[in-house]
Amino acid sequence: MTEIDLLSSTAELIIEPGRSEKNYWKDIWRYRELFYILSWRDIKVRYKQTAIGATWGVIRPLLTMLIFTFVFGRIANLSVLNGPPYAIVVFAGLLPWQFFSTALQEASNSLIGNTNLVSKIYFPRLIIPASAIITTLVDFFISFLLLIAVFFFYRFVPPVQILLLPLFILLTLLLSFGVGLYVTALNVKYRDVRYIIPFLVQFGIYATPVGYSSEVISQKYSETARFYFSMNPAVGIIDGFRWCILGQPMYWPGFFASLTVIILFCIIGIRYFRKTEKTFADNI
Amino acid sequence: MSKPVIKVEELSKRFIISHEGAERYKALRDVIAQKAKRMVKSPVSAPAREEFYALKDVGFEIHQGDRVGIIGRNGAGKSTLLKLLSRITEPTSGRITIRGRVASLLEVGTGFHPELSGRENIFLNGAILGMSRFEIRKKFDEIVEFAEVEKFLDTPVKRYSSGMYVRLAFAVAANLEPEILIVDEVLAVGDAQFQKKCLGKMEDVSKNQGRTVLFVSHQMDAIESLTSRCIYLKNGTVFSEGETRKTVDLYLNNYNSEDSIATYRDRFGNGKARIVKLEIKKEENTVLGVKQGEAFKILLGIEVNEPIKLDMSIAVENQRQQPLFCTQLSDLQGAIQKDKYFEVLIDVSDPKIRKGDYMISIATYKPDQTEFYDVVHHFPLLSIEGIAETSDIPVDNRLGNLYFPIKWSEIG
């Protein structure tokens, strides 16, 4: 009797072609435990069998910052004399950019790296790239601590807007998520993606105001050029970071352009991912 | 009667096989190249694509507490069916209705990470199989005890022996508590003793706890001891369904002419007397296998085109290609003379062969052995099923392919 009651209380699950799961998001919530544990696994395994372990998480952004400060500041002479320390300008741009690019690379390879999971058990596939992206957040926070160390080094006091920084971190996360999902799904079918991404990242660092300030665009060209420039969603984010950290004036029209593109990417990414998700096991 | 816990209706799964390459995945280059080709060529000569139904219009019902076996030859659609039931892939058409929590075990140790310790992998694997941390913690000691790895809990599993690895993996899975358990051929791993332990655990889950179990295996003895009902898949359709014993018999007796010796490749000789037919006969029927102790006959058909003198011999071999015994035509009647197709029947009336899959090597040659007509190596012959009660040959996992009564006596 109780057995039957128990059964009838369990929801019926119907599997049919093309049936978009009504409780897709609920399912993801149910599998949150798996999400935690996969993220935990990725973090734990990340620096295994390296001699200096998690120190890599500090060394990588530190070296990149030093190189950038040197190349752009000294050689290309991009630094401004009476502005804030150039190292901090670079760092503020590097922080979101590094997060975005690492997340993209990690996410795009995540499904392929977990082939055995995808082809052997069911779970909402979204979990895998999502946990890959969350994992890179750890590196982000390590870099952030480094930034604070740089503050102390230059005896720099950030403006009050720094309290709004979490908002821009969230935006970076959203952007990584949107683009990441799209790229991940694409990579299952077309393995070219994993070769394209490193180029995209290398190229992107110049198309994005990491080593320079986006004000340069409006000074050299025009305000309209800067608006179009802000269609690159990373521009709005980096501008936001610099506004929060350095107090550089914010160019709001550009920010909203970036925001629109970010939201668009998110919608496209999730849509495409969900559309192709069901065939992952067949194509991987 | 209560509603079925699993109801499958007209289920089909289609795969598209592309004949243009063996690559499993596409590269953008290929897509562009194909599009370009299509533009140049007339649309009629589209790239050769073939549809292939791994499953076609499959339907069945499974009720609460049923223990169902799914049998069939390789490629019959068993794994595809399990993948559909466990939601790993989506059907092409049809519908599955499931009532209850499903856990599927298509492979032991899915998601084990070599760098993590045994302890960490228990939590990881448990979460992958759908257990909550609380559940795993509750079951933790039981899992460790079952797997017998207490000492190595904090060692990365990449340092484990393969036996330990499999034991740990199965132990996690065995302690799942789903309402419906789907198990693919996972018992084919580990040593004999552990296999027995696994089977025992599965029996406990299904018989004593009243859970619904779906079990795929090629080991008919495991199927017979675990399930009460069987679904026999053949070429993607349900060929037969019913009581395990009957269905297994049907499966063993079902002759499939696809694996023909006529087209078998591993052979040499000048072809003057070519072996083109091989059948196993049980009484009057052609079968794929027999049970331990059952008599069978080997029927051979030999194609001859010119008058020749010939002798022939066969060797029945085990899976390691070691011959169990040899016999030759001239043992009984000397060489024969033939000029056209003929058949011979080799009667093995009282085989003392234990369970397992066996092979045969056959040779036709000139009686003085100066000329070989056709020599076939290691062709699959038959499978002998270890089912108790059919003979006095034991069905346990002892060594050796042969068994005959031997007397032990104590002296002094």
Side-chain angles (χ1 to χ4, degrees):
Chain A
M1 179 63 201
T2 48
E3 194 81 308
I4 291 165
D5 279 346
L6 206 132
L7 259 180
S8 54
S9 68
T10 359
E12 226 174 69
L13 170 75
I14 293 171
I15 305 170
E16 265 177 340
R19 189 186 176 95
S20 97
E21 241 90 25
K22 267 182 286 174
N23 21 18
Y24 185 83
W25 298 104
K26 212 197 251 170
D27 229 17
I28 288 186
W29 175 246
R30 276 202 332 157
Y31 276 85
R32 65 190 182 281
E33 193 108 359
L34 183 61
F35 171 75
Y36 301 147
I37 208 149
L38 284 180
S39 312
W40 164 82
R41 176 196 73 176
D42 289 345
I43 292 166
K44 184 116 195 180
V45 165
R46 189 146 205 188
Y47 297 114
K48 277 255 165 139
Q49 216 158 8
T50 55
I52 56 170
T55 320
W56 280 116
V58 181
I59 288 182
R60 273 165 50 198
L62 184 65
L63 281 180
T64 328
M65 181 205 61
L66 288 176
I67 291 166
F68 262 79
T69 321
F70 183 71
V71 171
F72 286 106
R74 293 283 151 79
I75 299 177
N77 259 330
L78 283 174
S79 67
V80 195
L81 272 178
N82 49 1
Y86 185 64
I88 298 181
V89 176
V90 170
F91 215 138
L94 208 54
L95 219 51
W97 176 256
Q98 274 232 310
F99 173 64
F100 174 65
S101 61
T102 320
L104 216 57
Q105 290 184 39
E106 296 283 330
S108 67
N109 285 321
S110 62
L111 272 177
I112 297 173
N114 286 295
T115 306
N116 59 339
L117 287 190
V118 174
S119 61
K120 293 291 178 196
I121 54 161
Y122 168 80
F123 56 92
R125 278 29 173 143
L126 203 70
I127 284 180
I128 289 204
S131 91
I133 291 168
I134 291 295
T135 310
T136 44
L137 207 55
V138 175
D139 280 350
F140 175 84
F141 284 121
I142 294 176
S143 304
F144 195 80
L145 290 180
L146 207 60
L147 176 71
I148 293 172
V150 175
F151 282 170
F152 279 107
F153 181 79
Y154 284 103
R155 294 170 198 282
F156 176 83
V157 180
V160 75
Q161 299 95 292
I162 194 143
L163 296 174
L164 287 175
L165 195 62
L167 226 66
F168 290 96
I169 297 175
L170 193 72
L171 273 187
T172 323
L173 203 62
L174 270 182
L175 177 65
S176 312
F177 200 63
V179 182
L181 282 187
Y182 187 76
V183 163
T184 310
L186 212 58
N187 198 20
V188 171
K189 221 171 174 187
Y190 304 109
R191 300 288 156 93
D192 311 63
V193 171
R194 75 166 131 180
Y195 302 110
I196 296 172
I197 299 248
F199 284 113
L200 225 64
V201 167
Q202 265 177 13
F203 170 73
I205 204 162
Y206 301 108
T208 313
V210 175
Y212 51 93
S213 159
S214 35
E215 246 174 281
V216 177
I217 304 290
S218 48
Q219 280 163 14
K220 273 201 170 165
Y221 305 100
S222 65
E223 197 83 335
T224 348
R226 187 172 180 186
F227 181 78
Y228 285 122
F229 184 61
S230 301
M231 296 292 230
N232 171 357
V235 172
I237 287 175
I238 290 177
D239 284 357
F241 265 72
R242 293 212 169 116
W243 177 60
C244 291
I245 293 169
L246 302 157
Q248 288 183 348
M250 189 69 175
Y251 174 61
W252 291 103
F255 171 74
F256 286 111
S258 293
L259 187 65
T260 315
V261 176
I262 290 172
I263 292 168
L264 217 65
F265 266 130
C266 266
I267 294 170
I268 295 174
I270 292 172
R271 276 232 179 127
Y272 185 71
F273 193 89
R274 283 192 63 177
K275 210 183 98 194
T276 49
E277 186 174 32
K278 304 240 153 125
T279 58
F280 283 168
D282 299 336
N283 284 324
I284 209 161
Chain B
M1 195 158 184
S2 65
K3 281 184 179 175
V5 285
I6 299 177
K7 189 175 177 192
V8 174
E9 297 159 276
E10 291 172 16
L11 190 71
S12 296
K13 174 75 182 176
R14 183 183 63 206
F15 288 102
I16 309 274
I17 311 167
S18 158
H19 289 301
E20 294 215 288
E23 283 163 286
R24 283 266 288 170
Y25 55 86
K26 274 195 262 183
L28 267 177
R29 159 177 61 96
D30 304 335
V31 176
I32 295 166
Q34 268 176 23
K35 291 247 164 80
K37 251 191 242 164
R38 234 172 277 164
M39 279 162 69
V40 177
K41 283 188 194 165
S42 67
V44 184
S45 63
R49 278 165 27 124
E50 196 183 304
E51 285 185 355
F52 162 74
Y53 277 91
L55 284 178
K56 184 112 180 92
D57 293 334
V58 168
F60 56 85
E61 284 184 2
I62 290 172
H63 289 269
Q64 161 77 19
D66 277 1
R67 290 169 289 123
V68 180
I70 296 172
I71 54 177
R73 308 195 62 168
N74 288 331
K78 303 186 298 291
S79 298
T80 308
L81 178 61
L82 293 199
K83 280 192 175 180
L84 289 173
L85 285 173
S86 34
R87 293 209 277 168
I88 294 163
T89 60
E90 200 186 30
T92 311
S93 64
R95 172 210 278 259
I96 303 171
T97 315
I98 296 176
R99 296 183 185 85
R101 190 172 109 163
V102 178
S104 53
L105 195 53
L106 303 195
E107 187 186 70
V108 283
T110 312
F112 262 37
H113 199 291
E115 298 282 356
L116 297 178
S117 73
R119 184 189 306 276
E120 290 162 338
N121 266 309
I122 290 178
F123 281 92
L124 176 63
N125 194 227
I128 284 170
L129 293 171
M131 284 198 257
S132 69
R133 253 174 303 179
F134 174 72
E135 264 179 287
I136 302 167
R137 216 165 283 147
K138 214 172 61 183
K139 293 265 179 188
F140 191 83
D141 292 334
E142 218 174 308
I143 292 172
V144 174
E145 194 197 335
F146 189 86
E148 303 162 22
V149 292
E150 293 91 338
K151 272 191 226 157
F152 308 98
L153 264 184
D154 294 304
T155 315
V157 296
K158 67 176 175 183
R159 309 242 182 273
Y160 276 30
S161 76
S162 54
M164 280 158 64
Y165 188 92
V166 167
R167 282 209 300 275
L168 183 64
F170 186 84
V172 180
N175 284 291
L176 273 176
E177 286 189 343
E179 281 138 0
I180 303 163
L181 181 64
I182 297 178
V183 186
D184 202 352
E185 194 108 55
V186 286
L187 302 173
V189 289
D191 56 26
Q193 205 193 341
F194 188 71
Q195 275 189 28
K196 217 169 168 182
K197 203 169 163 185
C198 296
L199 278 174
K201 183 78 191 175
M202 298 242 329
E203 224 168 309
D204 183 49
V205 166
S206 57
K207 283 185 187 159
N208 305 338
Q209 300 174 21
R211 292 179 207 288
T212 311
V213 175
L214 243 81
F215 181 48
V216 164
S217 181
H218 284 114
Q219 288 171 282
M220 288 305 133
D221 41 346
I223 291 271
E224 294 228 342
S225 72
L226 275 179
T227 67
S228 55
R229 208 155 66 83
C230 263
I231 294 167
Y232 172 12
L233 289 181
K234 191 175 171 186
N235 299 329
T237 55
V238 177
F239 183 72
S240 169
E241 190 189 345
E243 197 198 322
T244 294
R245 188 150 282 215
K246 277 183 193 158
T247 319
V248 168
D249 274 347
L250 187 70
Y251 169 66
L252 292 178
N253 294 344
N254 202 273
Y255 180 68
N256 189 330
S257 57
E258 272 167 39
D259 300 336
S260 164
I261 198 166
T263 53
Y264 186 69
R265 290 273 184 76
D266 188 5
R267 71 203 303 164
F268 73 93
N270 60 19
K272 282 185 183 170
R274 204 175 147 78
I275 300 140
V276 293
K277 185 174 174 183
L278 169 74
E279 283 178 10
I280 299 295
K281 294 280 187 190
K282 188 167 109 183
E283 283 144 15
E284 292 312 305
N285 305 315
T286 304
V287 295
L288 281 177
V290 295
K291 292 172 183 171
Q292 266 186 184
E294 270 185 339
F296 62 90
K297 294 177 184 132
I298 303 168
L299 178 91
L300 294 175
I302 293 112
E303 185 106 336
V304 178
N305 293 320
E306 52 185 284
I308 46 167
K309 269 189 151 175
L310 89 157
D311 189 6
M312 58 192 297
S313 59
I314 62 160
V316 172
E317 302 161 337
N318 65 13
Q319 283 290 312
R320 292 184 189 153
Q321 309 186 346
Q322 297 156 332
L324 301 186
F325 62 88
C326 286
T327 171
Q328 64 189 49
L329 186 68
S330 52
D331 280 352
L332 280 177
Q333 56 176 109
I336 51 173
Q337 189 132 17
K338 286 286 170 191
D339 56 2
K340 60 175 194 295
Y341 176 82
F342 70 101
E343 291 183 348
V344 292
L345 199 61
I346 302 156
D347 191 344
V348 187
S349 57
D350 187 16
K352 301 293 190 190
I353 309 174
R354 290 186 3 96
K355 64 177 180 182
D357 291 327
Y358 293 93
M359 297 189 288
I360 191 170
S361 289
I362 313 166
T364 58
Y365 46 88
K366 207 171 169 178
D368 61 4
Q369 296 194 14
T370 53
E371 203 178 311
F372 286 91
Y373 301 137
D374 193 13
V375 180
V376 174
H377 290 296
H378 319 308
F379 185 76
L381 179 67
L382 84 169
S383 67
I384 291 182
E385 299 300 331
I387 291 165
E389 301 138 32
T390 56
S391 73
D392 54 354
I393 304 176
V395 293
D396 54 17
N397 285 314
R398 69 181 65 189
L399 293 172
N401 298 114
L402 301 177
Y403 180 85
F404 31 88
I406 290 169
K407 264 196 193 128
W408 285 57
S409 44
E410 273 179 272
I411 314 163

